[in-house]
Amino acid sequence: MTSQRRSKITPERELELYEAALDLLRESGYEALTMEGVAARSRCGKSTLYRQWGTKPQLVAAALRGTRCVKLADVDTGSLVGDLRAAARAAVAGAGRDTALMHALSHAAFQNPELLRALRENLIEPEVAAINAMVERAVTRGEIAADNPAAEFVAAQLMGVMRARPMVEGRQADEAYLHRFLEAAVFPALGLRATSRVTSHP
Amino acid sequence: MTSQRRSKITPERELELYEAALDLLRESGYEALTMEGVAARSRCGKSTLYRQWGTKPQLVAAALRGTRCVKLADVDTGSLVGDLRAAARAAVAGAGRDTALMHALSHAAFQNPELLRALRENLIEPEVAAINAMVERAVTRGEIAADNPAAEFVAAQLMGVMRARPMVEGRQADEAYLHRFLEAAVFPALGLRATSRVTSHP
């Protein structure tokens, strides 16, 4: 039933609604955002918004997720080295696109448990699941052993250094930093050969 | 000159002032904290507070630093494996002692650049410097090569997984997790022998 209702909105229309919500977030912040405001900006009925997304935190999380350029779950290069390099590229692209917006939201999430849960479920958990799926595919292909002790930490390592570099060095983690990190720390711990470049063959 | 002025307060008195400031922070939060309030609570002249710490952010950062049980800069076990295990223990002890206080402060630091700078200078940068000093001592002792590519990432990795585990797994990084992480990821990447236990000999 929900899926039938959802099908009334086309993907293009959905993207317009998401962009309207994010524009309003950038302009006035999370507290000032209302479903009424998003409805007015996107010329959409308020009841449609509530039916489709339920609550403001759900709409915000869906808008952030739906406007991402690269979804980690779509990455499948055929090797763990290639997958993690692609994940590093996607992470930098995602984090860089809207620093002010993400800061405002981290801030709001401190005070709003429902927003925190919506962001976790819609943004963080799918990324963690996608990275863990990359590791599992590598086990299936025989690239790493199923009981490789470093496998447990790949997602936390990648997300961790992304957030820690600004604290440690006062600079954002860019793609070069993350690739250096993969080569120097993640691949050796997994027992993967650290090559300086990916070749065109898998 | 500054050091002469500072010497007027004994370490015991300093600790009392720090505890008074942290008590007030826990009770009413950062915004409501005033130098007047700390002076009244600790029965100390307001001018002494201003002379000694200058500003509220400086006082708060000094209070957090001065009441730490373990200072990473004091850790020197004779081996990088031992030093990093001790750092993991200290990190868990520090993070666990006052979760609500640290959350309130992270939140305030988002809005207050002066507080953010004071926390960075007094809490984060000394920890990063202490971890980097552990790595440098290991180079001097010949435990790792000076150009070991993983050495650059030790501080960011440790601080990163501390903050990433709650996001990734919904649980705090406890001592067992950090020790597993050191054994499985950090030591192998550095080329250090990952032993399950430290022996009594260095």
Side-chain angles (χ1 to χ4, degrees):
Chain A
M1 290 156 293
T2 307
S3 62
Q4 275 188 319
R5 278 179 177 165
R6 291 202 174 226
S7 68
K8 285 185 189 169
I9 291 190
T10 64
E12 293 73 23
R13 186 75 184 111
E14 198 171 72
L15 201 57
E16 281 173 23
L17 281 161
Y18 288 162
E19 294 293 357
L22 296 184
D23 283 347
L24 285 167
L25 260 181
R26 282 185 205 96
E27 288 166 22
S28 334
Y30 181 77
E31 293 308 321
L33 185 77
T34 61
M35 298 295 255
E36 289 77 2
V38 177
R41 174 72 64 108
S42 59
R43 297 205 182 90
C44 164
K46 208 174 68 176
S47 62
T48 305
L49 284 188
Y50 278 109
R51 203 169 54 228
Q52 191 86 2
W53 290 282
T55 65
K56 177 169 104 168
Q58 291 291 340
L59 172 59
V60 167
L64 287 167
R65 187 177 188 186
T67 54
R68 282 204 171 156
C69 306
V70 181
K71 290 182 181 54
L72 281 192
D74 297 338
V75 171
D76 187 0
T77 66
S79 78
L80 186 52
V81 165
D83 284 355
L84 291 179
R85 282 185 174 137
R89 259 193 307 280
V92 170
R97 70 171 179 172
D98 236 334
T99 311
L101 183 60
M102 296 315 290
H103 269 227
L105 280 171
S106 309
H107 176 76
F110 259 116
Q111 303 188 295
N112 189 324
E114 204 193 340
L115 175 62
L116 183 62
R117 196 169 55 243
L119 293 176
R120 278 186 56 101
E121 287 173 3
N122 285 277
L123 295 174
I124 297 169
E125 287 173 8
E127 289 203 347
V128 172
I131 293 173
N132 288 338
M134 293 172 184
V135 171
E136 279 160 32
R137 289 196 302 267
V139 171
T140 306
R141 282 190 303 257
E143 289 175 44
I144 62 171
D147 61 353
N148 189 308
E152 167 190 0
F153 298 101
V154 174
Q157 273 183 298
L158 262 182
M159 296 197 164
V161 296
M162 284 282 298
R163 282 158 187 83
R165 196 194 193 195
M167 294 192 303
V168 170
E169 299 183 35
R171 282 186 286 179
Q172 291 299 316
D174 54 17
E175 197 177 325
Y177 177 85
L178 288 180
H179 278 224
R180 226 162 53 235
F181 174 63
L182 288 174
E183 300 291 337
V186 179
F187 297 159
L190 287 166
L192 293 171
R193 196 168 52 95
T195 55
S196 58
R197 267 297 125 221
V198 188
T199 66
S200 52
H201 306 289
Chain B
M1 289 148 296
T2 306
S3 61
Q4 276 188 316
R5 279 179 178 166
R6 289 197 177 231
S7 67
K8 285 185 191 172
I9 291 190
T10 64
E12 293 72 25
R13 187 76 185 112
E14 198 171 72
L15 201 56
E16 281 174 21
L17 281 161
Y18 289 161
E19 295 292 357
L22 296 185
D23 282 347
L24 286 167
L25 260 181
R26 283 187 203 95
E27 288 166 23
S28 333
Y30 181 78
E31 291 310 320
L33 185 78
T34 61
M35 297 295 256
E36 288 77 3
V38 177
R41 174 72 64 109
S42 57
R43 295 204 183 90
C44 163
K46 209 174 70 176
S47 62
T48 305
L49 284 187
Y50 278 108
R51 202 171 52 226
Q52 190 86 0
W53 291 282
T55 64
K56 176 169 105 168
Q58 291 292 340
L59 171 60
V60 168
L64 287 167
R65 187 176 188 186
T67 53
R68 283 204 171 155
C69 307
V70 181
K71 292 183 180 53
L72 281 192
D74 297 336
V75 171
D76 188 359
T77 66
S79 78
L80 185 53
V81 165
D83 285 355
L84 292 179
R85 282 184 175 138
R89 261 192 307 279
V92 170
R97 70 170 179 172
D98 235 334
T99 311
L101 184 61
M102 297 314 290
H103 269 226
L105 280 172
S106 310
H107 176 78
F110 258 117
Q111 303 187 296
N112 189 324
E114 203 193 339
L115 175 63
L116 182 62
R117 196 170 53 245
L119 293 176
R120 279 186 55 101
E121 287 174 2
N122 285 277
L123 296 174
I124 298 170
E125 287 173 9
E127 289 204 346
V128 172
I131 293 173
N132 288 338
M134 293 171 185
V135 171
E136 278 160 33
R137 288 197 302 266
V139 170
T140 306
R141 283 189 302 258
E143 289 176 43
I144 61 171
D147 61 352
N148 188 309
E152 168 190 0
F153 299 101
V154 175
Q157 272 185 297
L158 262 183
M159 296 197 165
V161 296
M162 284 283 296
R163 282 157 186 84
R165 195 193 194 196
M167 295 194 300
V168 168
E169 300 183 34
R171 281 187 287 177
Q172 292 298 317
D174 55 16
E175 197 178 325
Y177 177 85
L178 288 180
H179 278 223
R180 226 162 53 236
F181 174 62
L182 287 174
E183 300 290 339
V186 178
F187 297 159
L190 287 166
L192 294 171
R193 197 167 53 96
T195 54
S196 58
R197 267 297 124 221
V198 188
T199 66
S200 54
H201 306 289

